[in-house]
Amino acid sequence: MNAAASSPPNAVEVRRGGKIVGVTGTVVRVIGVRARVGDLCRFVSPEAPEALLGEVVGLDGEALIVMPIGSNEGLSATTLVESVGHGLRIPSGRALLGRVVDGFCRPMDALPPLPEAVHDVRAKVPSPLHRPIVDQPFATGVRAIDGLLTIGVGQRVGVFAGPGVGKTSLMSAIAAQANVDAVVIGLIGERGREVQEFMRDGIAPQMRERAVVVVATSDRPAAERIKSAHVACAIAESLRDEGAHVLLVLDSLTRFARALREIGLAAGEPPARRGFPPSVFAELPRLIERAGRSNHGAITGFYTVLAEGQEMGDPVSEEAISLLDGHIALSRDLAAAGHFPAIDVLASRSRVMDNVCERQQLVYAGKVRQWMAAYQKSELLIRLGEYRPGADAELDEAVAKHPDIRAFLQQPLREAAASVETAAALAQLATPPAGI
């Protein structure tokens, strides 16, 4: 067997060498190495049994700013730095189905080694003129979404809420119930405890052989948390290019942005919006735009966002809303009242709903939203006993329909609602109450 055939999947060719001239926080400054931004470098120390990889993230005069892939402990002025000559690569998406990998696509399970890495993690965003229109509904199995916030195949949707309101649980339910060819889940900066729970509850048994889980927990270096999001996107893109409809779940976009902030500030970038450097807001669209439809397949993306308060006014939330094709807001008040899923329908929106729904469903959904808005506007008066029937016909209908609307919106997360059942329930819900 020749050397190339026996090399590990991510084996790389050494091109040139250099040395470290500075370490600041999570980045290393290197001279004597010819490499481009995005290329990998390898740190080789006589004391270390294994080489440490790093990615070139910037330039400072003649020095390269390198982000180590792992801890920078043990690096010294005697460490040799070698250029790899290309960026991180991964195996084909089909070869990764059923596997659990870390943020650099290294296996975390006890299954056989991965095959040869052939796909670059950093891919070009598809041309907007080559993207088919989102015109087919995507069934999540959640009545509140399928009935009033209908998602389309290839849409990118944000799920916004504070900690502990149910973002991960909702994503688990959608991943378990979705009728797709493959599921790619990126757990970015999450608690280690949640990994096993998500694999047990978030992936239906019949889907486990068609799922890939990319894990970079909160204790992992910022470089790995950043890379895990792009690795998940690259896996989904590889599957889409082979004609698959892929569900991509990234939990969470906020922790991806925080890892970018950590690296950006360490590299010397000035803080801009609420301490986030400009590179964060340049990187977010590059990540989000990788999902969507193509002429071969589709990636339907769900991105969770940790919103600071009900108004979603923090910089990451504002930027995500402007980039995504819709947003689902979860309410802490609804969650505290035992209303699950705690979706605030009036604060949520699907920007492609008009393209993927029949006209009659749009009429029904619009009527229900009108009743919800009328009830919310007068809820305080109703609770204080100041509401008098007969003064406002629309409010009378809203009050009469309020219990039915709450029942429609509440659903055990492990009970999927078929699209036909949701459509029938919505039609019945939108029927004006008798006698008013």
Side-chain angles (χ1 to χ4, degrees):
M1 182 179 294
N2 59 37
S6 61
S7 298
N10 284 309
V12 293
E13 177 187 353
V14 176
R15 300 295 177 86
R16 294 176 176 85
K19 66 177 183 177
I20 295 174
V21 294
V23 178
T24 305
T26 56
V27 297
V28 179
R29 282 170 170 77
V30 174
I31 61 171
V33 178
R34 295 185 63 182
R36 301 166 299 177
V37 173
D39 283 353
L40 292 179
C41 291
R42 186 161 59 183
F43 299 94
V44 182
S45 299
E47 304 84 5
E50 294 185 2
L52 173 68
L53 286 177
E55 182 182 19
V56 180
V57 296
L59 304 173
D60 183 9
E62 296 183 356
L64 300 177
I65 301 175
V66 182
M67 177 175 62
I69 298 173
S71 173
N72 57 18
E73 292 183 4
L75 297 180
S76 68
T78 62
T79 299
L80 177 66
V81 185
E82 303 168 333
S83 174
V84 168
H86 58 72
L88 182 66
R89 293 174 178 172
I90 63 169
S92 69
R94 293 285 176 189
L96 292 168
L97 293 177
R99 303 300 299 266
V100 180
V101 297
D102 68 6
F104 297 104
C105 206
R106 299 173 296 202
M108 298 181 67
D109 47 33
L111 298 177
L114 297 176
E116 181 183 1
V118 293
H119 293 287
D120 288 333
V121 168
R122 292 275 189 169
K124 291 184 178 180
V125 173
S127 167
L129 297 182
H130 296 160
R131 289 181 181 269
I133 295 173
V134 177
D135 56 4
Q136 302 173 23
F138 175 78
T140 65
V142 180
R143 278 194 302 270
I145 298 176
D146 293 345
L148 302 175
L149 303 165
T150 311
I151 304 301
V153 173
Q155 185 174 353
R156 290 81 54 90
V157 185
V159 180
F160 294 76
V165 182
K167 298 183 303 300
T168 302
S169 297
L170 180 60
M171 292 297 93
S172 298
I174 293 174
Q177 297 160 182
N179 181 21
V180 293
D181 299 315
V183 178
V184 179
I185 299 169
L187 299 179
I188 306 165
E190 293 297 318
R191 295 178 289 274
R193 173 186 60 81
E194 292 184 329
V195 176
Q196 290 280 25
E197 293 180 5
F198 204 110
M199 293 176 60
R200 181 193 66 192
D201 302 331
I203 307 174
Q206 64 272 21
M207 278 296 298
R208 285 177 186 163
E209 294 302 316
R210 291 181 286 161
V212 185
V213 182
V214 182
V215 179
T217 51
S218 58
D219 61 302
R220 302 305 301 162
E224 186 169 344
R225 282 176 273 144
I226 293 169
K227 221 55 178 176
S228 64
H230 288 288
V231 165
C233 287
I235 295 170
E237 287 169 334
S238 173
L239 292 165
R240 177 182 62 186
D241 291 344
E242 296 180 17
H245 176 202
V246 185
L247 172 63
L248 172 65
V249 177
L250 289 186
D251 188 10
S252 69
L253 198 64
T254 302
R255 293 191 172 102
F256 170 75
R258 289 174 179 172
L260 288 170
R261 176 176 63 184
E262 184 178 336
I263 296 297
L265 294 178
E269 281 192 76
R273 296 166 59 185
R274 300 276 290 276
F276 286 93
S279 62
V280 174
F281 304 103
E283 188 66 23
L284 285 174
R286 295 193 190 109
L287 179 76
I288 292 172
E289 286 295 329
R290 297 179 69 171
R293 289 187 64 187
S294 74
N295 293 323
H296 305 288
I299 301 173
T300 303
F302 284 84
Y303 307 81
T304 68
V305 181
L306 288 164
E308 298 178 7
Q310 293 291 103
E311 298 301 321
M312 299 183 290
D314 61 284
V316 176
S317 295
E318 290 179 346
E319 195 71 14
I321 288 176
S322 70
L323 296 171
L324 294 165
D325 304 320
H327 58 279
I328 299 171
L330 304 186
S331 166
R332 185 173 297 278
D333 293 338
L334 290 176
H339 184 294
F340 292 102
I343 298 174
D344 186 344
V345 173
L346 296 180
S348 306
R349 190 75 69 230
S350 172
R351 296 183 181 177
V352 305
M353 186 172 178
D354 290 352
N355 297 338
V356 301
C357 290
E358 298 289 341
R359 174 175 173 77
Q360 196 59 54
Q361 181 182 345
L362 295 174
V363 173
Y364 292 152
K367 188 61 180 176
V368 172
R369 292 177 72 100
Q370 286 177 7
W371 284 334
M372 294 178 68
Y375 187 91
Q376 185 181 79
K377 183 178 180 180
S378 303
E379 185 173 8
L380 181 59
L381 294 177
I382 295 169
R383 293 186 180 278
L384 292 175
E386 296 297 324
Y387 160 69
R388 295 292 181 267
D392 186 329
E394 184 180 51
L395 182 57
D396 291 344
E397 291 180 350
V399 172
K401 280 290 185 178
H402 183 66
D404 294 336
I405 293 174
R406 286 183 63 88
F408 176 85
L409 297 178
Q410 294 185 72
Q411 175 185 347
L413 290 179
R414 299 297 166 219
E415 294 183 11
S419 299
V420 175
E421 297 173 357
T422 297
L426 179 63
Q428 183 177 3
L429 183 65
T431 303
I436 296 179

